[in-house]
Amino acid sequence: MRKALVTGSSRGIGKAIALELARRGYALAVHYAGNQAAAEATAAEARALGASQVVVLGADLSSAQAAQKLVADANAALGGLEVLVNNAGITRDTLLIRMKDEDWDTVIATNLSAIFHTTREAIKLMMRARWGRVINISSVVGLLGNPGQANYVAAKAGLIGFTRSVAKEYAARGITVNAVAPGFIESDMTAKLPEQVVAEYLKQIPAGRFGKPEEVAKAVAFLASDDAAYITGQTLCVDGGMTPH
């Protein structure tokens, strides 16, 4: 069975992705940045769902060295690495004139530069196998923009361009590189939003509801499968129809 690393998989969308791959029998590396207990809980659920093997790895992805080492550690622990899901990300939201250099640099390092470092290391392994899947979790705000998130949006938009370029470089090697752009997804954060704010968000979504993490996870699992072998360089919006195409 395929072997996958899912970054930021201790909670939220990343956890849902790890559990969906577990249901399909993948060997998994569950990654966390700060909450090892949550990652261990995800790993336990993944084992119960049928994952062939699960390891838990910690790394601060804002560090280039740590990001590169994470891929090497996942490869060593699983005995190979064929699927990389770049999901981990952070926010430091504020208006541009209030945004500190650190707010910009940390978000870009974690949400964009880290993907460069993990993907470069993983691609080397995939080239040897002449098979691989890289799935980058972007966001609809990378396509639409969003006030107060210039750093986050820049990273997510950059991720889409990165995806297209790398896809073209390695398509002939049996490696696909795609992005998934979630819209408003149910989470601990959205659960705390005032009703009026939720109502305003829902007006932007033709489907009339927030998405579920599991719906994003199923899209990722499809792109990781053999069924998606002829799909590369694409951005799949999982957003209830809110992004114009």
Side-chain angles (χ1 to χ4, degrees), residues 27-231:
L28 290 172
V30 173
H31 160 258
Y32 69 95
N35 194 336
Q36 182 176 358
E40 294 288 357
T42 297
E45 289 185 56
R47 293 185 186 102
L49 287 170
S52 59
Q53 180 185 357
V54 186
V55 297
V56 175
L57 301 171
D60 175 5
L61 296 183
S62 66
S63 160
Q65 292 77 16
Q68 293 167 17
K69 185 175 184 298
L70 174 63
V71 174
D73 289 347
N75 179 58
L78 298 177
L81 186 65
E82 298 150 310
V83 177
L84 171 64
V85 182
N86 285 308
N87 167 77
I90 62 170
T91 56
R92 296 288 186 273
D93 296 351
T94 189
L95 295 176
L96 180 66
I97 60 172
R98 298 174 184 167
M99 189 173 290
K100 299 175 182 177
D101 290 354
E102 182 183 355
D103 297 330
W104 176 272
D105 293 341
T106 303
V107 168
I108 295 298
T110 304
N111 294 13
L112 183 58
S113 297
I115 283 76
F116 160 69
H117 294 296
T118 56
T119 302
R120 184 178 61 180
E121 296 307 303
I123 285 284
K124 295 173 186 175
L125 303 171
M126 295 172 184
M127 285 176 64
R128 296 186 197 123
R130 297 194 68 83
W131 195 98
R133 300 284 187 268
V134 179
I135 300 118
N136 298 317
I137 307 302
S138 181
S139 169
V140 293
V141 301
L143 296 165
L144 300 175
N146 205 35
Q149 287 193 309
N151 48 4
Y152 184 80
V153 171
K156 293 302 186 180
L159 193 52
I160 291 171
F162 176 81
T163 296
R164 290 172 178 163
S165 293
V166 179
K168 290 186 175 182
E169 290 183 18
Y170 297 99
R173 305 291 186 101
I175 300 168
T176 68
V177 186
N178 291 289
V180 171
F184 289 108
I185 304 298
E186 291 178 0
S187 66
D188 294 340
M189 184 177 67
T190 58
K192 297 175 183 176
L193 292 172
E195 287 186 15
Q196 184 177 357
V197 174
V198 171
E200 288 301 315
Y201 283 155
L202 291 176
K203 290 178 183 177
Q204 304 175 44
I205 307 170
R209 65 174 178 86
F210 288 171
K212 299 179 184 300
E214 293 77 13
E215 292 173 309
V216 179
K218 289 182 185 299
V220 171
F222 167 67
L223 290 173
S225 73
D226 286 325
D227 292 336
Y230 201 55
I231 301 171

Side-chain angles (χ1 to χ4, degrees), residues 7-24:
T7 69
S9 45
S10 64
R11 61 185 177 85
I13 289 174
K15 177 178 180 178
I17 293 168
L19 296 183
E20 182 62 33
L21 296 181
R23 289 185 186 93
R24 300 174 186 227

